[in-house]
Amino acid sequence: MKVLWIGDAVIQSGFSVVTHNICNRLQNKCEIVVFGVRYDGRIRHSYKYYIYPGLSLGDMYSFEFATSVILRENPDIVIIFNDLPIIMKYIKQILDVTSKYDNRTRIIPLFPINLFPLNKAVSYTHLRAHETSLHLVCRLLLE
């Protein structure tokens, strides 16, 4: 199974720390490719998975470049890790482009909930009973 992670990578940010903590765990279970939001490619790193530099001039999040990476890599799952409004922009861009190619890539949004005024948060943790290779990523994220 191939997973494309879209999120901060290599740079110094809390989001980047989470990206690498999770991707380092997932790399033994599936093929990981990272689209490094705000990463320009100049910082050397020792991560064992490929990281696309996602920073482009004039577009901090590189929405269009991210979709070209999805078409090139053809992942089974795309995990988008960012704030919810940014995730929604990625999803819109991805669906606009991939729908033309009958792409069935699954999209998993991952975002911090402490930034939003929620009355109740629910997590689904019963994945192991019905686990398939596609559920594996979800289970690893929840552990």
Side-chain angles (χ1 to χ4, degrees):
M1 177 178 49
K2 187 177 208 176
V3 175
L4 173 65
W5 181 282
I6 298 175
D8 282 9
V10 185
I11 65 168
Q12 292 184 350
S13 74
F15 279 91
S16 184
V17 170
V18 172
T19 289
H20 296 301
N21 282 338
I22 294 173
C23 289
N24 287 339
R25 290 180 65 200
L26 290 176
Q27 72 183 352
N28 297 324
K29 308 287 184 187
C30 52
E31 181 182 355
I32 297 288
V33 178
V34 174
F35 180 82
V37 175
R38 301 191 304 148
Y39 172 54
D40 64 9
R42 291 187 287 177
I43 300 171
R44 296 177 68 102
H45 65 82
S46 59
Y47 299 108
K48 294 183 173 125
Y49 37 84
Y50 186 78
I51 302 174
Y52 284 91
L55 183 64
S56 65
L57 296 175
D59 183 4
M60 181 167 74
Y61 298 103
S62 302
F63 297 107
E64 289 183 24
F65 182 44
T67 54
S68 70
V69 169
I70 291 169
L71 293 174
R72 182 180 309 127
E73 292 292 337
N74 195 26
D76 300 297
I77 296 175
V78 175
I79 299 173
I80 308 169
F81 178 51
N82 212 303
D83 293 320
L84 192 55
I86 301 302
I87 291 172
M88 296 309 294
K89 288 181 183 180
Y90 276 114
I91 290 173
K92 181 184 180 325
Q93 180 74 25
I94 290 167
L95 294 177
D96 285 350
V97 172
T98 59
S99 64
K100 299 172 189 170
Y101 300 96
D102 192 33
N103 186 312
R104 302 205 187 277
T105 299
R106 295 176 187 228
I107 300 172
I108 299 174
L110 181 62
F111 56 93
I113 60 171
N114 62 338
L115 300 176
F116 301 97
L118 300 175
N119 294 329
K120 184 178 182 182
V122 177
S123 67
Y124 181 70
T125 59
H126 187 64
L127 294 175
R128 283 191 182 179
H130 309 285
E131 185 172 284
T132 66
S133 60
L134 292 175
H135 293 121
L136 175 64
V137 173
C138 296
R139 181 175 60 77
L140 289 172
L141 291 172
L142 292 170
E143 286 183 344

